[in-house]
Amino acid sequence: MTSCLHSQPKFLSHPFDDDKLKEECGVFGVIGVADAANFVALGMHALQHRGQEAGGIIVHDAEKGFNSAHRFGYVRDNFTKASLMETLPGSLAIGHVRYSTAGSKAAAIRDVQPFFGEFSMGGAAIAHNGNLTNADALRRELIERGAIFQSSSDSECIIHLMASSIQKAHAKRIADALRRVEGAFSVVAMTRTKLIGVRDPLGVRPLVLGRIGETGYVLSSETCGLDIIGAQFVREIEPGEMVVIQDGVVETSRPFGPSKGRFCIFEHVYFSRPDSLIGGRSVYETRHQIGVELAREAPIEADLVCPVPDSGTPAAIGFSQELGIPFALGITRNQYMGRTFIEPTEHIRNMGVRLKLNVNRALIKGKRVILVDDSVVRGTTSRKIKDMILDAGAAEVHFRIASPPTSWPCFYGVDTPNRDKLLAANMTEEEMRAWIGVDSLKFISLDGLYRAAGESGGRNNACPQYCDACFSGEYPIAPQDQIDKGFEMKAAE
């Protein structure tokens, strides 16, 4: 632990893709445009990589009031149907794409956001990206005080905290509620007339503001959500900031007082889309620079540099260019994989990676191959990919990983295995290399990752610039619910 510890007042995992950290969620909101739900659906489609389990939209229309639609599955399969979208009129709407990080994994439709509540001053809805680390304690307290929960989601706590607030205005009730929660949250909310966005004091999860037309505004988890609807990027919502948008005017406040950001560094590595901007910096360029730093730290003689599709591609290009080793697409992804099309028996499960990825045998045969991937979680997929490369006749297989070893679980909105399932938590780097069965295995250092993300001096160990708990074990917000269940945090150094 460091002195920077802060205290703050689906689908089921795919049987063929269970060796990646799962995206959190995506939030999107639009105000001041006709048929706002259509814009929200497009934004949700752009954010689909952040959650593929389910999605929902809530709208408000001056004549028809609040309406909503919540569906399992992809945005394209649900929110592109005219028959559905016609039921969602209005110039104000918010949406959410979900991957379950808290609550039931075999989710019921009642777990799908946005959530709605009817208050004395009128209805309000919220969509939340992140994870509340004191949700269990809050839920117990709220139930003892008479609250009746409809879902298993931690996000529903916010609605009940709003209901119990004595504040008169919706925005103040939201601020009141969020002062009670701990953890990570980027919230997009709406009333009958206002669109509201809030980030937690550390700004762990992303949220950006855009403008569309003369009076329209947009809130989105990533800038790629703005691009798809032709909105102009205005700025990022700052850590600990609340914006309230009404009648073409944006008002800002700081309900949590002064704060210093600790943005999730894994957004740079994997979660965000490569065409998004973070802190004014292209995610693609950061990932390219990760490859450059990795090549400087862990060079190797080889014939080809091949990415593990698709998130390893920018880093592989940077690695290739830095060492002057040819870049090649030695592995091809089946873009139509989707959900399993055949009963996942044990035999089919063992074929899973081959159903999703295929090796270019003519390119690989006889070559010394460097595979660049974004991370190693359990390591099971890495072993299978290594076997495929060797079966194709490769002379050598080397892994280079575009993130440090993932040794600790995330409690801020990423679905991470328990620590005993994380390969790097239980093996040294050499033991991991031997277990995967490759000729060499190297990870970028934490300092190298920070340099690639724009911190030329590397990581400030006294007070890190990013949240990197999944690598360092240093949690900027104590995960109290998990501690109460027996989770042991890293001892102070």
Side-chain angles (χ1 to χ4, degrees):
M1 295 297 296
T2 72
S3 59
C4 285
L5 182 69
H6 293 256
S7 177
Q8 292 172 243
K10 123 189 171 157
F11 299 130
L12 290 173
S13 181
H14 194 293
F16 301 155
D17 194 19
D18 63 350
D19 196 24
K20 291 290 182 186
L21 300 183
K22 299 303 188 297
E23 295 86 342
E24 317 95 354
C25 295
V27 293
F28 199 85
V30 174
I31 188 171
V33 297
D35 298 319
N38 290 322
F39 288 89
V40 169
L42 288 169
M44 291 163 59
H45 178 71
L47 300 175
Q48 189 77 85
H49 60 289
R50 301 186 71 87
Q52 300 88 48
E53 182 183 90
I57 296 176
I58 293 182
V59 301
H60 183 267
D61 177 71
E63 294 183 1
K64 298 184 178 180
F66 287 96
N67 284 286
S68 66
H70 298 79
R71 299 289 188 273
F72 287 118
Y74 295 119
V75 174
R76 71 185 183 209
D77 296 332
N78 292 298
F79 297 100
T80 55
K81 298 174 182 176
S83 58
L84 175 62
M85 301 310 291
E86 288 169 358
T87 69
L88 300 172
S91 60
L92 173 55
I94 64 173
H96 186 274
V97 288
R98 180 183 199 263
Y99 180 86
S100 53
T101 58
S104 171
K105 300 298 180 183
I109 200 69
R110 64 178 180 270
D111 292 316
V112 180
Q113 297 185 48
F115 291 138
F116 177 81
E118 193 69 64
F119 304 95
S120 58
M121 71 289 293
I126 65 163
H128 167 218
N129 170 210
N131 203 55
L132 308 184
T133 57
N134 65 337
D136 290 350
L138 285 174
R139 180 181 283 258
R140 287 193 299 270
E141 174 191 332
L142 288 162
I143 289 174
E144 288 173 359
R145 286 163 49 186
I148 300 173
F149 279 76
Q150 301 297 316
S151 76
S152 64
S153 172
D154 63 326
S155 308
E156 193 183 347
C157 288
I158 301 171
I159 287 285
H160 291 288
L161 289 169
M162 288 175 62
S164 62
S165 171
I166 62 172
Q167 297 294 330
K168 300 301 182 184
H170 282 110
K172 290 185 177 180
R173 285 198 177 207
I174 292 173
D176 215 15
L178 294 177
R179 290 189 191 100
R180 293 284 317 278
V181 307
E182 297 172 2
F185 54 85
S186 282
V187 169
V188 170
M190 62 178 286
T191 68
R192 290 170 295 183
T193 58
K194 298 180 177 72
L195 179 65
I196 301 168
V198 196
R199 284 181 80 187
D200 69 76
L202 298 185
V204 177
R205 304 262 71 88
L207 189 64
V208 300
L209 174 68
R211 184 160 189 167
I212 183 167
E214 294 298 320
T215 59
Y217 280 93
V218 185
L219 291 168
S220 174
S221 288
E222 295 182 37
T223 60
C224 64
L226 307 180
D227 296 336
I228 197 171
I229 63 170
Q232 177 188 0
F233 172 67
V234 176
R235 63 178 179 86
E236 294 183 356
I237 306 302
E238 296 179 2
E241 182 184 13
M242 169 183 277
V243 293
V244 179
I245 308 168
Q246 183 179 17
D247 297 328
V249 177
V250 181
E251 296 182 353
T252 182
S253 62
R254 296 269 181 182
F256 314 107
S259 59
K260 179 176 172 59
R262 290 284 297 275
F263 185 66
C264 170
I265 200 166
F266 213 75
E267 291 278 355
H268 285 290
V269 175
Y270 178 68
F271 291 129
S272 292
R273 258 178 43 171
D275 53 331
S276 285
L277 298 174
I278 295 176
R281 185 183 178 94
S282 160
V283 173
Y284 178 91
E285 290 299 326
T286 297
R287 291 178 186 168
H288 180 276
Q289 191 60 31
I290 289 173
V292 172
E293 294 286 346
L294 184 55
R296 293 170 180 171
E297 292 184 350
I300 187 75
E301 291 186 4
D303 302 307
L304 293 175
V305 176
C306 300
V308 175
D310 291 307
S311 52
T313 301
I317 293 171
F319 192 97
S320 164
Q321 292 175 344
E322 180 67 15
L323 294 182
I325 300 172
F327 171 87
L329 297 177
I331 303 174
T332 300
R333 174 184 287 273
N334 178 358
Q335 300 295 338
Y336 302 97
M337 181 60 191
R339 285 176 288 173
T340 174
F341 59 88
I342 192 169
E343 183 68 23
T345 63
E346 187 62 30
H347 176 65
I348 295 296
R349 284 177 186 272
N350 291 335
M351 292 173 57
V353 172
R354 295 179 185 272
L355 288 169
K356 186 175 67 174
L357 303 173
N358 193 45
V359 175
N360 186 335
R361 291 176 173 268
L363 187 67
I364 294 297
K365 187 175 182 180
K367 301 294 196 327
R368 298 170 297 172
V369 179
I370 302 169
L371 295 175
V372 179
D373 203 356
D374 57 82
S375 60
V376 172
V377 182
R378 295 179 178 89
T380 51
T381 297
S382 299
R383 290 182 73 170
K384 292 173 183 176
I385 291 173
K386 174 267 303 182
D387 289 341
M388 292 170 60
I389 297 293
L390 287 177
D391 288 347
E396 296 176 6
V397 181
H398 304 270
F399 261 108
R400 292 295 181 268
I401 309 301
S403 62
T406 304
S407 305
W408 296 85
C410 174
F411 301 119
Y412 306 137
V414 181
D415 188 36
T416 318
N418 293 333
R419 191 156 192 254
D420 60 1
K421 298 293 193 302
L422 294 171
L423 197 65
N426 299 283
M427 294 184 184
T428 65
E429 188 175 274
E430 172 57 26
E431 289 170 339
M432 294 171 70
R433 182 206 64 77
W435 187 82
I436 294 172
V438 289
D439 293 281
S440 72
L441 170 68
K442 295 292 180 182
F443 297 81
I444 192 171
S445 68
L446 202 47
D447 276 332
L449 178 57
Y450 270 71
R451 287 193 296 269
E455 300 291 342
S456 58
R459 185 180 192 261
N460 180 348
N461 293 326
C463 196
Q465 304 95 313
Y466 286 94
C467 176
D468 55 27
C470 56
F471 306 131
S472 67
E474 297 178 13
Y475 292 90
I477 310 158
Q480 194 57 52
D481 284 348
Q482 300 300 320
I483 293 171
D484 291 344
K485 295 174 183 177
F487 175 74
E488 296 184 7
M489 295 181 65
K490 182 179 179 181
E493 296 180 354

